[in-house]
């Protein structure tokens, strides 16, 4: 393993896949092949070997971090003589469209929930905090969906503030990938989880610092640990196109699907359409908003063309 400094920022300790796999130690596999299959997203090639070599070591590291944070919390309680509510440990998962964030977030949720102390682990996807399509259309932002300005950031920050404050229950809106819109009057409740995993495109992004020095909170301010999933741009484009082709023959065929019109495209038309969407929207978002946050992550998982993680970079403490 080696230490690397990139762009003058904090150094990372770099692990090959084999080196990282050894850090699993004696962590038992608690998921069955069938369960791993259910956690896998469309076109992602997650298998038991990937879970054992990449995600079991990561779940071990996170469980150790959570345990240390809880000990520190109890020390502070004794010092202050207070009965403060135990705060949840929040993990952010960021990365491009089609890189496999959802799979990573679901696998970590499942693994962490099965550690011996059986913590309560919840998963939040930030899609629910997108503005409804009606608002995006009114503001001319439909082509910017997934960009930072398409999210109701104040609502997301209120949610994270309430979770960190130990309020119960805390509600988050629900997003439908079928209708490509926030579902009106539908909510999911979070009741003081021990660990909360927050998955989204731009969760590591910051903004310009205020000239008056007043504090401006960012989503990443609430994270105790963050993961960035990385892959080459051409690889990401191919994965996006492949997923689009699969959806054309599955979900898009549902008449209720927002993208039902694409179900009638030929192969060549579908590839051209998906490539155009990727280039016009997702690649721009990657360049402007997502990729620049990579070096803010505590852990970077770099994937190869096979969808498998080839390198792990862990920020040095």
């Amino acid at each position: 393993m080696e230490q690397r400094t990139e762009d003058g920022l904090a150094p990372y300790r770099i692990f090959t896949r084999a080196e990282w796999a050894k850090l699993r130690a004696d962590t038992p596999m608690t998921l069955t092949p069938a369960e791993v299959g259910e956690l896998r997203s469309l076109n992602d090639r997650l298998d038991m070997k990937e879970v054992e070599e990449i995600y079991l070591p990561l779940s071990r590291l996170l469980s150790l971090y959570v345990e240390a944070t809880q000990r520190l919390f109890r020390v502070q309680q004794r010092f202050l003589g207070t009965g403060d509510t135990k705060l949840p440990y929040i993990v952010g998962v960021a990365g491009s469209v089609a890189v496999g964030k959802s799979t990573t977030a679901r696998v970590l949720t499942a693994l962490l929930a099965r550690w011996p102390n059986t913590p309560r682990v919840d998963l939040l996807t930030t899609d629910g905090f997108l503005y409804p399509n009606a608002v995006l259309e009114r503001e001319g932002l439909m082509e910017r969906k997934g960009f930072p300005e398409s999210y109701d950031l104040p609502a997301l920050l209120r949610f994270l503030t309430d979770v960190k404050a130990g309020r119960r229950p805390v509600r988050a809106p629900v997003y439908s990938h079928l209708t490509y819109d926030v579902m009106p009057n539908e909510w999911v409740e979070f009741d003081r989880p021990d660990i909360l995993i927050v998955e989204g495109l731009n969760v590591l992004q910051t903004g310009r610092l205020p000239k008056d020095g007043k504090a401006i909170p960012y989503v990443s301010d609430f994270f105790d640990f963050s993961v960035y999933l990385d892959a080459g741009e051409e690889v990401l484009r191919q994965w996006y196109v492949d997923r689009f082709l699969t959806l054309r023959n599955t979900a898009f065929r549902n008449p209720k699907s927002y993208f039902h019109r694409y179900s009638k495209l030929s192969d060549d038309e579908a590839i051209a359409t998906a490539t155009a969407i990727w280039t016009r929207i997702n690649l721009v978002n990657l360049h402007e908003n997502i990729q620049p946050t990579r070096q803010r992550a505590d852990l970077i998982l770099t994937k190869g063309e096979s969808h498998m993680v080839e390198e792990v970079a862990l920020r040095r403490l």
Side-chain angles (χ1 to χ4, degrees):
M1 72 187 72
E2 61 173 320
Q3 178 182 342
R4 181 186 304 168
T5 301
E6 298 183 14
D7 302 327
L9 298 179
Y12 288 81
R13 190 180 293 273
I14 309 299
F15 299 86
T16 65
R17 184 184 179 96
E19 290 169 340
W20 182 257
K22 292 178 182 178
L23 299 178
R24 169 188 175 179
D26 58 352
T27 306
M29 168 56 84
T30 54
L31 299 176
T32 66
E35 288 171 325
V36 169
E38 291 174 359
L39 295 169
R40 183 172 52 234
S41 293
L42 188 68
N43 277 15
D44 211 341
R45 297 177 189 170
L46 179 78
D47 57 19
M48 289 293 285
K49 184 177 181 181
E50 184 82 345
V51 175
E52 291 173 351
E53 295 185 353
I54 301 299
Y55 294 107
L56 272 179
L58 178 52
S59 75
R60 177 182 176 229
L61 175 66
L62 287 173
S63 70
L64 291 170
Y65 279 0
V66 171
E67 183 182 352
T69 301
Q70 291 174 345
R71 285 200 304 269
L72 182 61
F73 174 78
R74 289 192 292 270
V75 167
Q76 181 173 282
Q77 265 190 324
R78 288 197 298 271
F79 175 75
L80 296 175
T82 64
D84 291 341
T85 302
K86 177 171 62 66
L87 302 180
Y89 192 91
I90 301 185
V91 179
V93 178
S96 170
V97 169
V99 77
K101 298 183 303 301
S102 297
T103 295
T104 292
R106 287 196 293 266
V107 170
L108 287 178
T109 299
L111 288 172
L112 289 169
R114 298 190 184 189
W115 272 83
N117 57 343
T118 59
R120 177 171 183 156
V121 187
D122 285 338
L123 170 61
L124 171 79
T125 61
T126 58
D127 290 344
F129 289 93
L130 285 161
Y131 285 113
N133 285 354
V135 175
L136 296 176
E137 289 170 354
R138 186 177 69 238
E139 300 297 326
L141 291 173
M142 281 301 288
E143 284 279 301
R144 305 280 289 180
K145 195 166 187 178
F147 285 63
E149 59 268 30
S150 66
Y151 291 87
D152 187 349
L153 184 58
L156 178 54
L157 291 172
R158 284 195 300 272
F159 170 87
L160 292 170
T161 298
D162 288 344
V163 169
K164 270 295 191 183
R167 297 189 176 95
R168 58 191 309 184
V170 181
R171 299 194 311 174
V174 177
Y175 187 83
S176 168
H177 288 278
L178 179 67
T179 63
Y180 194 57
D181 202 356
V182 178
M183 301 179 71
N185 302 315
E186 291 203 25
W187 309 86
V188 60
E189 291 189 343
F190 296 80
D191 190 7
R192 289 187 182 175
D194 298 297
I195 302 172
L196 176 65
I197 296 178
V198 178
E199 177 256 307
L201 294 170
N202 299 299
V203 294
L204 294 181
Q205 192 182 43
T206 61
R208 294 180 180 177
L209 295 175
K211 294 181 180 179
D212 59 6
K214 292 182 180 179
I216 296 179
Y218 305 113
V219 172
S220 58
D221 290 341
F222 295 88
F223 295 164
D224 299 285
F225 190 87
S226 55
V227 179
Y228 184 95
L229 284 115
D230 197 20
E233 289 181 12
E234 282 304 304
V235 171
L236 289 169
R237 179 192 60 77
Q238 188 60 55
W239 290 349
Y240 179 79
V241 172
D242 290 344
R243 187 175 71 177
F244 187 94
L245 290 173
T246 301
L247 289 169
R248 179 198 54 164
N249 295 323
T250 54
F252 291 173
R253 291 191 173 183
N254 188 328
K256 295 182 180 179
S257 171
Y258 179 86
F259 299 106
H260 180 62
R261 63 191 181 279
Y262 294 142
S263 65
K264 304 183 186 335
L265 297 178
S266 67
D267 285 352
D268 289 343
E269 290 171 335
I271 291 171
T273 299
T275 302
I277 294 172
W278 168 261
T279 303
R280 188 177 72 251
I281 299 175
N282 296 314
L283 184 60
V284 176
N285 198 12
L286 176 64
H287 285 166
E288 292 182 357
N289 303 302
I290 303 170
Q291 203 169 60
T293 70
R294 177 174 55 193
Q295 296 297 322
R296 302 192 69 242
D298 296 300
L299 186 88
I300 302 172
L301 299 177
T302 302
K303 289 185 168 186
E305 191 174 351
S306 67
H307 286 263
M308 302 304 181
V309 174
E310 297 179 346
E311 183 182 87
V312 179
L314 177 64
R315 185 182 296 279
R316 296 175 64 91
L317 295 177

